[in-house]
């Protein structure tokens, strides 16, 4: 299908999106559902192209704790091997009798005490090599815990836009016509104010016998709101100036396109601007549906309840 013939000629394309126009150079979607760029960087070594600080700050909590525990265990294992190779007899307080595994275990726990600078005192280094190794390990432990403390602080102090988006975008009835709708809501006890939204659609179309990417900025009925306390449904009215004007359900089903959403707001607790983004491929657009209301009053009518489980709740409707 030649989508170019279906795109409204009154819709103006945009060239400042940051995405190229050659579709053959792209694999998959432009933006992942979590807002990250769907790009894999190559051409430099792994250590050169990796920012370890950003990696440790942004990884999930269980992975972060796993990395710290793994580093702690491996570091102590490394120093325990060195103590064992120098000789257990140079660690005063360790009983030299027993199995080799038991001796190595005692060397490992002495390493853990030195690494954490706990130093219970019943085992101490004896000899130049063992003392030098213990001093080196103590310094390594101090630096390691300083870095870990900084990472913990960075993770807790990093401003994050705690916003969830609906899994699907909808083509819904709107003002005697139809509109593209998607929904978002804050899901933590944060206070987000002065929220701004922007939507861009990218489509692969045939032009002059070649397949190219074209991008259009979608006009929104409401671009910004004073406070994001409940859900916010972004609405793009499909009128004569919309690139979707005249699109049918089959056009969305068979077309190759992606809707990219950017949201910027202010978190008054951090006194910082926070951002969030996501995207919807045409296959994630439900044609002929309407979102269900996701908030209501409580039983005694004293509070408003935001039902987060209804974020993607919708009913199918018939479009004229």
């Amino acid at each position: 299908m030649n989508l170019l013939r279906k795109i409204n000629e009154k819709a103006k394309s945009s060239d400042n999106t940051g995405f190229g126009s050659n579709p053959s150079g792209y694999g998959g979607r432009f933006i992942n559902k979590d807002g990250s760029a769907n790009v894999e960087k190559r051409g430099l070594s792994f250590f050169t192209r990796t920012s370890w600080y950003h990696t440790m700050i942004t990884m999930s909590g269980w992975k972060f704790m796993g990395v710290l525990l793994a580093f702690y265990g491996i570091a102590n294992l490394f120093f325990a091997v060195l103590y064992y190779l120098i000789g257990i007899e140079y660690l005063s307080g360790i009983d030299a009798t027993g199995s080799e595994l038991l001796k190595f275990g005692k060397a490992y726990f002495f390493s853990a005490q030195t690494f954490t600078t706990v130093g219970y005192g019943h085992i101490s280094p004896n000899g130049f090599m063992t003392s030098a190794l213990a001093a080196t390990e103590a310094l390594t432990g101090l630096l390691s815990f300083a870095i870990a403390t900084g990472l913990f602080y960075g993770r807790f102090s990093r401003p994050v836009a705690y916003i969830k988006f609906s899994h699907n975008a909808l083509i819904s009835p709107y003002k005697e016509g139809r509109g593209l709708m998607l929904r978002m809501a804050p899901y933590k006890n944060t206070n987000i104010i002065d929220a701004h939204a922007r939507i861009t659609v990218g489509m692969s179309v045939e032009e002059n016998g070649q397949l190219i990417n074209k991008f259009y900025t979608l006009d929104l009925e409401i671009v910004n709101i004073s406070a994001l306390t409940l859900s916010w449904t972004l609405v793009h009215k499909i009128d004569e100036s919309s690139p979707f004007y005249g699109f049918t359900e089959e056009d969305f089903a068979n077309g190759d396109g992606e809707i990219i959403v950017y949201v910027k707001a202010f978190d008054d607790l951090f006194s910082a601007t926070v951002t969030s983004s996501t995207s919807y491929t045409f296959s994630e657009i439900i044609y002929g549906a309407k979102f269900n209301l996701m908030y209501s009053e409580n039983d005694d009518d004293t509070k408003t309840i935001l039902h987060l489980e209804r974020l993607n709740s919708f009913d199918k409707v018939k479009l004229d």
Side-chain angles (χ1 to χ4, degrees):
M1 179 189 65
N2 189 347
L3 265 183
L4 187 62
R5 297 175 183 173
K6 303 290 286 188
I7 297 177
N8 183 12
E9 295 181 353
K10 296 181 180 180
K12 295 182 180 180
S13 61
S14 175
D15 297 325
N16 61 348
T17 60
F19 302 104
S21 60
N22 183 9
S24 63
Y26 278 94
R29 61 202 306 157
F30 297 108
I31 300 294
N32 295 316
K33 292 295 287 183
D34 63 0
S36 61
N38 188 29
V39 176
E40 179 183 344
K41 296 180 175 66
R42 295 183 180 179
L44 295 175
S45 68
F46 175 77
F47 293 99
T48 301
R49 68 176 188 265
T50 301
S51 169
W52 294 108
Y53 178 77
H54 286 81
T55 301
M56 295 296 291
I57 290 294
T58 57
M59 70 171 48
S60 62
W62 68 270
K63 286 184 178 179
F64 178 75
M65 293 302 301
V67 169
L68 291 187
L69 292 175
F71 174 80
Y72 178 77
I74 292 172
N76 282 297
L77 182 63
F78 171 76
F79 283 104
V81 169
L82 295 181
Y83 289 124
Y84 184 81
L85 292 177
I86 292 174
I88 298 299
E89 62 272 15
Y90 291 103
L91 293 176
S92 300
I94 289 184
D95 186 3
T97 62
S99 65
E100 296 301 317
L101 182 60
L102 181 61
K103 294 178 184 178
F104 181 79
K106 293 180 179 180
Y108 181 87
F109 287 113
F110 170 73
S111 172
Q113 295 167 25
T114 305
F115 192 82
T116 58
T117 68
V118 172
Y120 291 119
H122 67 280
I123 301 176
S124 60
N126 181 17
F128 176 79
M129 290 295 294
T130 309
S131 298
L133 182 60
T136 302
E137 183 179 14
L139 177 61
T140 304
L142 285 171
L143 294 177
S144 300
F145 280 102
I147 293 173
T149 301
L151 290 173
F152 267 109
Y153 175 77
R155 289 178 63 87
F156 280 103
S157 62
R158 182 173 70 98
V160 177
Y162 293 106
I163 298 173
K164 281 189 179 296
F165 295 90
S166 58
H167 182 73
N168 297 104
L170 311 180
I171 302 297
S172 307
Y174 183 70
K175 289 185 177 179
E176 300 180 353
R178 60 192 62 178
L180 171 74
M181 301 187 184
L182 56 99
R183 188 157 65 177
M184 71 184 77
Y187 64 95
K188 285 187 180 289
N189 55 331
T190 55
N191 190 22
I192 301 176
I193 61 175
D194 195 22
H196 296 255
R198 185 174 77 254
I199 297 181
T200 301
V201 59
M203 291 180 281
S204 294
V205 299
E206 186 179 339
E207 189 176 64
N208 299 325
Q210 292 184 338
L211 201 62
I212 64 171
N213 286 333
K214 274 188 171 292
F215 297 89
Y216 300 86
T217 300
L218 301 184
D219 295 330
L220 297 176
E221 293 291 274
I222 299 178
V223 178
N224 67 284
I225 56 175
S226 299
L228 182 56
T229 56
L230 298 173
S231 61
W232 182 16
T233 301
L234 299 180
V235 180
H236 165 68
K237 185 180 180 181
I238 301 177
D239 55 17
E240 294 182 355
S241 62
S242 170
F244 294 142
Y245 187 69
F247 267 45
T248 65
E249 184 174 3
E250 289 73 22
D251 294 328
F252 284 107
N254 300 324
D256 185 11
E258 183 176 347
I259 296 169
I260 305 171
V261 185
Y262 301 96
V263 177
K264 180 176 66 174
F266 187 81
D267 190 316
D268 64 349
L269 176 63
F270 288 102
S271 294
T273 298
V274 293
T275 61
S276 186
S277 58
T278 189
S279 76
Y280 302 86
T281 60
F282 279 7
S283 62
E284 294 168 336
I285 297 176
I286 306 298
Y287 193 90
K290 186 176 182 180
F291 282 118
N292 295 320
L293 192 66
M294 62 177 296
Y295 56 88
S296 62
E297 71 275 7
N298 63 354
D299 294 336
D300 55 2
D301 198 19
T302 59
K303 278 189 177 182
T304 302
I305 301 174
L306 182 62
H307 302 276
L308 295 174
E309 74 279 4
R310 301 180 188 173
L311 180 60
N312 200 57
S313 175
F314 60 83
D315 290 325
K316 294 286 290 183
V317 296
K318 186 176 180 180
L319 296 177
D320 296 331

